[in-house]
Amino acid sequence: MDLPVLIAARALRHSRDGLTLALLISLGVYSVLISMLPASTKASELAIRRFHASGWAFASWAMLQPLPWMYNFENRLSVEYERNSVPACQPRSEFVNHQPYGRLFATHDRYWYRECGRARVRFSTTYRGLAIETGYLVEPRRAGTGLVVRRD
Amino acid sequence: MPDEVRRAFVWMVGSLASVRLLLASEYWSRTLYQIAIPVEDPLFPQVLRDPLVLLLAALGPLSVELIGMWRPTVSKMRMAAAVEIVSGAVLLIHQASFYKATWVVIFWCGWFLAWLAWTAVRKPDLIRPCGPLLAQAIVAYFFLGGAVGKWTAGYWSGEVFQDILFRQHPGMVYQYLRTTFSESTLWQMAVIYSRTIVLVETAMVGIVFVPARVASVLIGLVSLGLWGSSSTLYEIAFPLIGLAAAAWFLSDSPRIG
């Protein structure tokens, strides 16, 4: 029995199709990038910093969003609020599944950042011996509603 | 249009529409929070913090999906594919949704719909050899991304899933487990669960090498297992089931040439 990929290759030789080739090549390129993670410390470092939105311009960060990153790396989130006398505003530390930068914007988190005043948020991500930490400050806007996030 | 292409399209779009319907109230809520508590941050440009952009990208495609499923035509299929790709792309880079893996899955399913709407319609000789392979390749790709990030001591020891699921997850199943079993038993469950996930996801990378119908059944079973492990994972499981169904139908296409 022939492998599906060989059957497809033979068919594409007879009847070339740009979209099929483009999709398979794109999947292949992104797959190579994923496969570099366990093999290259530099690739791991870049990927973790991408999860922290640290050192990445928006355009290049966005180009890699179609890469599947479900439950990737060991990501720890630590939050310390300014108003920590309030029971709901106690410091906390927990694992998050992926994209820890998203925990600055999730609805539940936004609510508590606003209620508990200024917050110091730290992402600590480890992957196969590599550990990277990034800190952010979440503060109420000086004028108007909402919050401002900046690097700590 | 060949029947198998129509069936594959309906199942695929149906799976995406069901995800959007189930996410509707959540994305309405996200939009309201985006309005009530806007966040200015160093990464996202203003347009990708906009609440209306979020709402349109998340829920706008529903109408196209539902219309497309009803007596699909080639033009409806192409419209649906384009809308899914754009919606997935926007939500992958919007401040309020970028961290949801749902949109990675929907983005690539949109491209699969594009393949159905253009290639499968114009080149029926490629349906059987390439259609199921493309669906399987997309599934293998998702699992490759998921598996590689879990090849760590923390996932193998169960520590990460113990915290994320067995200690924190608000779902009914995990609440029941927390109230019923001791901490040491929960740890043992977390180890078994975590290792199973790592091994299954790693094995699923090989789905691209498996004959289409066998692959279809395996993808379906693993997807149901994913959904069973956490009810909120319908966002990933349903589109995977759509891809599995598409692979099944397309593998039945007549051989041409």
Side-chain angles (χ1 to χ4, degrees):
Chain A
M1 189 186 288
D2 276 341
L3 288 177
V5 68
L6 293 176
I7 297 169
R10 255 183 257 130
L12 283 168
R13 240 183 293 148
H14 275 290
S15 179
R16 282 192 176 275
D17 180 68
L19 181 56
T20 309
L21 286 169
L23 287 176
L24 290 172
I25 290 169
S26 302
L27 288 169
V29 168
Y30 275 119
S31 296
V32 166
L33 292 177
I34 295 167
S35 303
M36 285 170 63
L37 284 181
S40 160
T41 309
K42 188 64 187 172
S44 307
E45 184 195 331
L46 288 170
I48 291 171
R49 290 199 187 283
R50 213 182 73 79
F51 261 20
H52 294 188
S54 164
W56 280 80
F58 177 77
S60 38
W61 175 90
M63 289 286 291
L64 293 180
Q65 275 296 88
L67 250 159
W69 29 255
M70 297 74 149
Y71 286 81
N72 267 198
F73 312 143
E74 296 161 17
N75 306 290
R76 199 170 263 287
L77 166 79
S78 305
V79 185
E80 281 180 23
Y81 299 107
E82 188 176 61
R83 286 188 214 132
N84 55 20
S85 55
V86 177
C89 303
Q90 294 305 297
R92 55 191 175 90
S93 178
E94 61 198 34
F95 276 109
V96 299
N97 50 6
H98 42 241
Q99 300 270 19
Y101 192 64
R103 292 297 297 269
L104 298 174
F105 312 108
T107 53
H108 182 261
D109 292 305
R110 278 184 210 229
Y111 177 82
W112 289 111
Y113 293 140
R114 187 184 66 175
E115 293 303 297
C116 300
R118 213 165 178 247
R120 194 160 246 119
V121 181
R122 193 148 291 280
F123 307 136
S124 308
T125 297
T126 56
Y127 182 66
R128 300 170 72 83
L130 179 65
I132 293 177
E133 268 198 18
T134 308
Y136 286 94
L137 271 175
V138 184
E139 299 172 296
R141 263 200 198 140
R142 285 181 211 279
T145 58
L147 303 163
V148 174
V149 169
R150 51 187 181 87
R151 285 292 299 271
D152 187 5
Chain B
M1 182 189 344
D3 264 344
E4 60 273 13
V5 173
R6 185 178 286 112
R7 262 182 262 137
F9 172 79
V10 169
W11 271 79
M12 196 67 251
V13 165
S15 71
L16 302 186
S18 59
V19 169
R20 262 185 232 277
L21 274 167
L22 290 167
L23 286 176
S25 75
E26 178 186 330
Y27 277 78
W28 177 244
S29 174
R30 281 175 191 247
T31 303
L32 294 179
Y33 268 86
Q34 202 74 7
I35 295 167
I37 314 176
V39 183
E40 202 178 298
D41 77 290
L43 181 68
F44 292 96
Q46 181 59 42
V47 66
L48 291 168
R49 299 184 219 151
D50 190 288
L52 189 59
V53 168
L54 174 72
L55 192 64
L56 282 174
L59 302 184
L62 252 178
S63 51
V64 176
E65 286 164 348
L66 295 173
I67 291 168
M69 281 172 65
W70 176 253
R71 295 189 186 161
T73 59
V74 173
S75 54
K76 282 186 193 175
M77 286 170 66
R78 290 176 179 178
M79 174 68 97
V83 160
E84 297 290 357
I85 291 168
V86 170
S87 156
V90 169
L91 291 167
L92 273 174
I93 57 174
H94 193 285
Q95 187 195 60
S97 57
F98 75 93
Y99 51 94
K100 295 293 286 183
T102 317
W103 308 115
V104 176
V105 171
I106 287 187
F107 175 76
W108 287 102
C109 288
W111 282 105
F112 183 72
L113 287 173
W115 187 88
L116 289 174
W118 271 275
T119 300
V121 163
R122 288 180 317 191
K123 300 189 174 183
D125 56 317
L126 291 181
I127 295 172
R128 190 186 175 110
C130 294
L133 174 73
L134 191 55
Q136 289 167 241
I138 291 171
V139 172
Y141 170 69
F142 293 152
F143 281 105
L144 175 66
V148 163
K150 294 185 191 68
W151 292 342
T152 72
Y155 277 98
W156 194 250
S157 71
E159 184 188 5
V160 178
F161 275 129
Q162 195 280 337
D163 187 64
I164 291 175
L165 297 177
F166 292 81
R167 190 184 70 80
Q168 287 184 50
H169 199 286
M172 276 188 336
V173 169
Y174 294 103
Q175 284 188 47
Y176 170 77
L177 292 175
R178 280 192 287 270
T179 52
T180 309
F181 297 100
S182 68
E183 204 164 312
S184 62
T185 307
L186 286 175
W187 257 108
Q188 286 171 7
M189 288 181 184
V191 172
I192 295 169
Y193 176 88
S194 195
R195 290 181 185 182
T196 305
I197 293 286
V198 172
L199 292 172
V200 168
E201 287 202 353
T202 304
M204 284 298 284
V205 176
I207 204 74
V208 70
F209 300 112
V210 172
R213 293 226 147 172
V214 174
S216 179
V217 171
L218 285 173
I219 294 167
L221 288 173
V222 169
S223 304
L224 289 172
L226 258 179
W227 188 23
S229 74
S230 172
S231 57
T232 55
L233 283 177
Y234 67 84
E235 303 170 35
I236 309 295
F238 286 10
L240 289 180
I241 291 170
L243 286 168
W248 181 275
F249 293 128
L250 296 176
S251 68
D252 206 26
S253 187
R255 280 180 223 268
I256 298 174

